[in-house]
Amino acid sequence: MKGGGWPLVLLCLLVTCIWSIPTYAHEGESKVSKIYGDSAGLAKEQQAYTGGPKIHDVLRKVESADRGNDGRVTEALFILQSLEPTNARLSRLERSSGILRIFTHYLKEVFYILFMNGPNYDESSDTGQAQKTWGTPLAQAVKLLEAAAKEGNTDARFLLADINFFGFYSHPRNYSKAFQGYYDLAMTTGNSSAQHMVGFMYATGIGGAVQRDQAKALLYHTFAALGGDTRSQMTVAFRYNAGIATPRNCEQASFHYKAVAEKAIQFYESGPPGGRSIIKNAYRLADDEGGVYGEGASVSSSGVHAIKGDVGSNTHAALEDVLEYLDLMSRKDDFKATFSLGRLYYDGSRVLDRNLNKARVYFQRIARKYWDKEGNINSKAPPGIDKIAAKAASYLGRMYLRGEAVKQSYDQAAKWFQRGVANGDSTSQNGMGLLYLHGLGLPKDELKAAEYFRTAADQDHPSAQVNLAKLLLDQGDTYHANSYLELAARHGHIEAFYYLAEIANQGVGRDRSCGVATTYYKIVAEKAEPIHSSFDTANEAYKNGDVEGALVRYMMAAEQGFEAAQANVAYLLDEEKSRLSLDFLLPIRRSRPSFLRNAALALIYWTRSAKQSNMDSMVKMGDYYHAGIGTQADEEKAAACYQAASEFQQSAQALWNLGWMHENGLGVEQDFHLAKRFYDQALETNQEAYLPVSMALLKLRLRSFWNTITNGRVNSIQNEPERKKEWSVSEWVQNFLKDDHTNFPDGDDGDDLTNPVTEPPSSEDDLYLEMDESFLETLLILSLAGTLLFLVYYRQQRRLNHRRLAENRDQAHGDGVPGAQGDNQVDRGLFPLPGDPELNNWVAGGVGH
């Protein structure tokens, strides 16, 4: 292409990128109020029950007792409310299989590198010069807050600290000012939210505002936890549970986790009948890329965790493609596809927002195919639709019960649940149980409720199992209640874990177990993300390209003990994502911000994630110790990390690394044979490791061969000895009997004269072996025969001696003529003759002699 064509290319690139930039409409809720939902204590949780915080409720979250009637703070809040959220970087595109979207994604990346890769903000720059970029409304709001803060207004002081920390509305982040604001507020007023932020900044040293000090972090978090701050309660519980800056203390960990778990259950049960629907936002960023080491090399995407599917399957299809396919099949009257669409939109996920109206439409479409308006079964209903229709009826009943996308109506809920019960649907049975249990539109009847719950529980319905367990606990039947709770816990039911924790903590019907109780309390606390977690805003910031904002919020969740957040922080700070980087091919490389260059902090979070059974994080720890990243190089620690990650036979990367260290004698004794064993295990764990393992084995065999011929000191590769099975007596006899048949070929009934065997034995040793076996068999048979003859002869001699002794006694005591009886005695020879009375005794073995 000639030089004159480049302006046209750049123009097309610019138009494409501007076209793809999303616009942010004002949603009636300011960014400040949204962030305040993550930085306040119990007040935020109470407002979350009604759908999230409002602007006029922000002041309630500051926990100040002397806010007074300062209109400047209120005016500043309304100014901030009028501002629209802005983003310094372009919004990220979701991964898609569409060619146009992939092309647009990379065009935007190039556009960012060329035109938006400016220098990072420097906190030491002139504040007045920075204020010129804020905009008049933002500057006006900040001035109002500063004026109120100088007069001691605690609300204004807290708001200014948050603005400087989070960087609301393109306000430059200034962590030093934020720390000073939080610290002054915590020391003068004892504000628990400020104490939490001071503890967080001491724990992480974020922005270099203060040196990391884990002891001070625990101190401030403890004060905040005792003041009721939920996030600090989570943090203190995790530190006592993991032993961070303090000895491990199960009782303290259980105490603080229990406090959060009680708030979690209160939040869950405060919703509509059946509990709140909680969508999980805690996930690992690396999983979207196939794991820390990429697709096929990470534990999360290889071996037993690999997403497997043939060429024609939809295993690797994007969500948009799946929805489009299901919608197409639904239009063709595929009721299974219609139900799947309804369920997807009803449940929702982190990549698909809940749409209750769409879900209701799909469920009603199925119901109309099976029932008419009077509730009778349609004679023209498709075959096999009865079970699907029952499930759709259960969802419609649930929506009427909870008032989701429809006006709440217990009568309508009962009608739909009864239709589902008629076809044996477990969700409908659980719904009818709830109506009878709480008397919602039906007479309150715990016995009927228990019957419905039991029927649904027998079909492995988790909510029914929990509901039945609660009734059993009220009756004192701890044994059966515990069994149902354990069954429900397999499905991850939050109430099941809570009641199991209570049983273990109080020792009801079993020995008290602090460890079990702490584990279950932690699970319950982490499931209630909306009351304390910052995952939702962190994910949104990362999606919008605000990596620093995402990093800060992931850190807050990581300090609370979320393993996914710890892995995310380490992943964002990791500078060793690829050993073979192709950045040198780019004419202009994107600079890595300074806040992402903290290898020591990355190692800390890799370690914490690894302690919570993340195998990829454990391997990463080994890499850091091996290369000396963020710490001093220590080959022994690296080998220990790889050894720990390889114990479960899940990480082929760990096994390969361990084989390489044994091959080279780094951190472990050099042993070629042991290195080969680990290479083989890596291939057994993950077949995708065939190429690196084959290359490593080729090199290893060459080194082992050279070591052998030069009499080296390293243990060379040896043939694995075949382990012989130890036979029992019965197995030995069976194999001995079977050996007689193995000496003859199949179908050989005699000498084959037509095809005489002309080939000699394979070797002279084989001939001698066959001769020795025949000779031993002959010798054994002769020995047995000789032994038998000896026993017969010995027996006859004993019989003759016994008879002679008897005759001599008779002659010595007899009154007849000596020798008269002996003269008449007939000689019968060696064996009794036929007809002789002694013949039977002789045949029977001399019974009676």
Side-chain angles (χ1 to χ4, degrees):
M1 180 182 295
K2 296 182 179 180
W6 285 107
L8 180 60
V9 174
L10 292 177
L11 179 61
C12 295
L13 175 63
L14 179 61
V15 171
T16 303
C17 292
I18 293 176
W19 168 74
S20 62
I21 295 176
T23 58
Y24 297 91
H26 181 58
E27 300 177 355
E29 177 181 330
S30 71
K31 190 71 172 179
V32 173
S33 80
K34 194 166 187 179
I35 298 300
Y36 269 100
D38 297 327
S39 61
L42 184 59
K44 180 260 178 183
E45 300 155 23
Q46 294 171 344
Q47 292 166 9
Y49 300 165
T50 59
K54 305 300 180 183
I55 294 302
H56 61 272
D57 293 329
V58 173
L59 291 177
R60 296 173 52 192
K61 301 176 184 181
V62 185
E63 304 174 9
S64 174
D66 61 342
R67 65 171 59 93
N69 295 319
D70 195 335
R72 289 171 295 188
V73 177
T74 305
E75 184 181 355
L77 284 174
F78 279 103
I79 291 175
L80 295 174
Q81 179 186 6
S82 64
L83 297 177
E84 293 185 1
T86 58
N87 291 279
R89 293 184 174 87
L90 298 177
S91 176
R92 294 174 179 266
L93 280 181
E94 299 290 340
R95 281 182 170 267
S96 176
S97 58
I99 298 177
L100 179 60
R101 293 186 179 182
I102 295 177
F103 180 68
T104 306
H105 169 77
Y106 286 106
L107 282 180
K108 289 173 62 179
E109 289 291 323
V110 174
F111 176 78
Y112 178 85
I113 294 174
L114 294 177
F115 301 104
M116 301 185 67
N117 197 18
N120 298 320
Y121 170 73
D122 185 6
E123 291 183 2
S124 62
S125 63
D126 182 68
T127 305
Q129 181 68 24
Q131 287 180 351
K132 295 181 180 180
T133 63
W134 297 359
T136 303
L138 178 60
Q140 183 182 358
V142 171
K143 288 181 179 180
L144 289 171
L145 292 174
E146 289 177 346
K150 288 180 180 180
E151 297 181 4
N153 186 288
T154 54
D155 292 340
R157 293 162 63 184
F158 192 86
L159 285 170
L160 281 173
D162 266 10
I163 289 175
N164 282 287
F165 185 86
F166 292 102
F168 296 151
Y169 297 99
S170 72
H171 187 286
R173 291 183 175 92
N174 192 322
Y175 296 111
S176 298
K177 283 188 175 182
F179 176 79
Q180 193 62 41
Y182 291 134
Y183 181 80
D184 293 341
L185 195 60
M187 297 300 293
T188 57
T189 66
N191 185 298
S192 61
S193 296
Q195 291 169 342
H196 166 78
M197 294 304 297
V198 172
F200 170 74
M201 297 188 77
Y202 270 122
T204 60
I206 184 70
V210 65
Q211 292 293 327
R212 287 198 303 271
D213 191 328
Q214 301 300 335
K216 289 184 178 180
L218 180 60
L219 176 65
Y220 282 100
H221 277 307
T222 302
F223 285 140
L226 295 177
D229 188 273
T230 309
R231 298 163 303 162
S232 286
Q233 289 172 338
M234 287 283 292
T235 303
V236 173
F238 174 69
R239 285 176 172 260
Y240 277 116
N241 191 37
I244 300 175
T246 182
R248 298 187 64 180
N249 190 322
C250 182
E251 296 296 335
Q252 286 292 327
S254 177
F255 172 78
H256 290 288
Y257 273 133
K258 176 180 171 62
V260 182
E262 290 176 349
K263 295 178 183 179
I265 292 299
Q266 179 185 357
F267 169 75
Y268 177 79
E269 294 179 345
S270 65
R276 286 183 173 272
S277 298
I278 302 177
I279 296 178
K280 182 179 180 181
N281 290 307
Y283 71 95
R284 302 186 188 96
L285 299 176
D287 289 348
D288 290 342
E289 307 294 335
V292 173
Y293 292 98
E295 190 76 31
S298 307
V299 174
S300 58
S301 61
S302 63
V304 296
H305 304 289
I307 301 177
K308 301 177 181 179
D310 54 21
V311 178
S313 67
N314 59 356
T315 304
H316 301 278
L319 178 62
E320 293 85 354
D321 297 334
V322 173
L323 293 176
E324 183 178 356
Y325 172 76
L326 291 176
D327 183 67
L328 175 63
M329 298 303 296
S330 176
R331 295 175 186 274
K332 295 181 178 180
D333 293 332
D334 187 336
F335 54 86
K336 292 183 179 179
T338 305
F339 176 77
S340 298
L341 281 171
R343 187 171 181 179
L344 285 173
Y345 282 115
Y346 181 85
D347 294 336
S349 66
R350 68 178 180 88
V351 295
L352 180 65
D353 295 333
R354 296 187 74 191
N355 193 324
L356 298 177
N357 288 319
K358 282 188 175 182
R360 177 177 55 83
V361 171
Y362 286 118
F363 292 143
Q364 287 179 341
R365 187 182 301 175
I366 297 175
R368 293 192 188 99
K369 291 183 178 180
Y370 189 70
W371 291 287
D372 56 21
K373 294 182 179 181
E374 288 74 21
N376 299 319
I377 299 177
N378 190 352
S379 59
K380 297 182 180 180
I385 197 177
D386 52 342
K387 296 298 182 182
I388 301 297
K391 292 181 181 296
S394 69
Y395 275 96
L396 290 171
R398 178 180 172 87
M399 297 178 78
Y400 278 106
L401 174 66
R402 300 163 60 88
E404 297 173 333
V406 294
K407 184 179 180 180
Q408 191 174 36
S409 174
Y410 299 137
D411 294 335
Q412 289 291 324
K415 180 186 74 173
W416 287 108
F417 283 146
Q418 287 171 353
R419 291 181 180 182
V421 168
N423 288 328
D425 180 71
S426 60
T427 304
S428 299
Q429 293 164 350
N430 179 68
M432 289 297 297
L434 288 175
L435 294 178
Y436 277 111
L437 179 64
H438 301 291
L440 303 177
L442 296 174
K444 190 173 182 178
D445 191 334
E446 291 188 358
L447 292 179
K448 284 188 177 181
E451 291 178 2
Y452 279 112
F453 289 148
R454 189 179 301 277
T455 305
D458 292 340
Q459 299 184 55
D460 202 21
H461 192 279
S463 296
Q465 290 167 344
V466 172
N467 293 328
L468 180 60
K470 289 192 290 186
L471 293 177
L472 292 173
L473 286 175
D474 292 339
Q475 298 175 2
D477 189 354
T478 309
Y479 177 78
H480 290 94
N482 188 80
S483 300
Y484 281 113
L485 291 173
E486 289 180 348
L487 292 174
R490 294 182 296 110
H491 300 276
H493 199 285
I494 183 173
E495 285 189 296
F497 284 112
Y498 175 74
Y499 287 107
L500 285 173
E502 288 286 279
I503 292 174
N505 189 42
Q506 299 177 16
V508 179
R510 54 180 294 179
D511 294 336
R512 183 178 182 274
S513 176
C514 179
V516 174
T518 302
T519 301
Y520 287 151
Y521 281 138
K522 183 176 187 291
I523 294 174
V524 175
E526 291 185 350
K527 281 182 175 294
E529 295 179 12
I531 69 174
H532 53 70
S533 167
S534 56
F535 265 105
D536 53 347
T537 53
N539 296 340
E540 182 182 359
Y542 183 76
K543 179 181 177 181
N544 292 333
D546 184 8
V547 181
E548 184 175 2
L551 177 66
V552 171
R553 290 165 177 82
Y554 283 134
M555 278 186 180
M556 299 179 76
E559 286 297 308
Q560 297 172 20
F562 284 90
E563 186 278 322
Q566 294 166 353
N568 289 346
V569 173
Y571 180 72
L572 291 176
L573 296 175
D574 185 29
E575 300 184 36
E576 300 294 325
K577 290 186 174 63
S578 177
R579 294 290 184 181
L580 182 61
S581 177
L582 301 179
D583 290 345
F584 64 90
L585 299 178
L586 297 175
I588 303 177
R589 283 182 285 179
R590 179 182 298 188
S591 61
R592 187 175 178 84
S594 58
F595 64 85
L596 292 179
R597 296 195 294 269
N598 194 335
L601 192 61
L603 178 58
I604 290 175
Y605 285 107
W606 283 131
T607 304
R608 294 181 183 178
S609 174
K611 287 184 177 180
Q612 299 196 65
S613 303
N614 188 321
M615 294 297 103
D616 285 333
S617 297
M618 182 69 73
V619 179
K620 266 294 182 181
M621 281 181 60
D623 294 345
Y624 273 50
Y625 281 118
H626 168 66
I629 302 173
T631 184
Q632 295 292 331
D634 192 329
E635 300 292 353
E636 292 185 0
K637 287 186 178 180
C641 291
Y642 296 144
Q643 183 67 47
S646 64
E647 288 180 355
F648 299 98
Q649 289 290 107
Q650 293 182 355
S651 176
Q653 183 73 43
L655 292 166
W656 194 96
N657 292 348
L658 205 55
W660 182 84
M661 298 193 79
H662 276 286
E663 178 184 353
N664 296 279
L666 298 177
V668 292
E669 183 180 358
Q670 191 174 15
D671 191 325
F672 292 154
H673 183 72
L674 199 55
K676 178 184 179 300
R677 182 174 298 175
F678 282 115
Y679 286 144
D680 292 339
Q681 290 180 356
L683 184 58
E684 292 175 1
T685 303
N686 186 4
Q687 294 298 321
E688 296 186 19
Y690 175 79
L691 180 59
V693 168
S694 299
M695 296 176 64
L697 285 176
L698 177 61
K699 178 171 68 73
L700 179 65
R701 289 187 180 279
L702 293 176
R703 295 185 64 180
S704 178
F705 174 73
W706 179 257
N707 178 75
T708 301
I709 63 176
T710 57
N711 295 323
R713 298 181 179 181
V714 183
N715 184 27
S716 299
I717 299 176
Q718 303 173 4
N719 294 327
E720 295 287 349
E722 295 183 2
R723 300 179 60 181
K724 296 182 178 179
K725 181 180 178 181
E726 297 181 358
W727 290 345
S728 62
V729 176
S730 60
E731 291 176 339
W732 186 89
V733 172
Q734 293 177 359
N735 285 282
F736 177 78
L737 297 176
K738 292 179 180 179
D739 286 343
D740 292 341
H741 303 284
T742 59
N743 294 331
F744 303 97
D746 295 338
D748 186 10
D749 297 330
D751 295 337
D752 189 358
L753 301 179
T754 59
N755 296 311
V757 177
T758 58
E759 294 182 1
S762 57
S763 64
E764 188 174 354
D765 293 337
D766 293 340
L767 178 61
Y768 290 153
L769 182 60
E770 293 177 0
M771 293 176 62
D772 292 341
E773 290 177 352
S774 301
F775 176 76
L776 291 176
E777 291 177 357
T778 303
L779 182 62
L780 179 62
I781 293 173
L782 293 176
S783 300
L784 291 174
T787 303
L788 180 62
L789 292 175
F790 173 78
L791 292 175
V792 171
Y793 175 77
Y794 178 76
R795 176 178 173 278
Q796 293 299 325
Q797 290 298 321
R798 289 194 60 184
R799 284 172 52 84
L800 291 175
N801 292 333
H802 182 73
R803 186 178 297 109
R804 291 192 186 98
L805 290 174
E807 292 175 354
N808 293 333
R809 283 197 301 271
D810 293 338
Q811 291 178 1
H813 298 87
D815 52 356
V817 179
Q821 185 177 355
D823 295 339
N824 298 329
Q825 185 176 2
V826 180
D827 185 11
R828 294 176 297 179
L830 183 61
F831 302 103
L833 297 175
D836 192 332
E838 294 294 332
L839 178 63
N840 293 334
N841 292 336
W842 182 86
V843 173
V847 177
H849 295 280

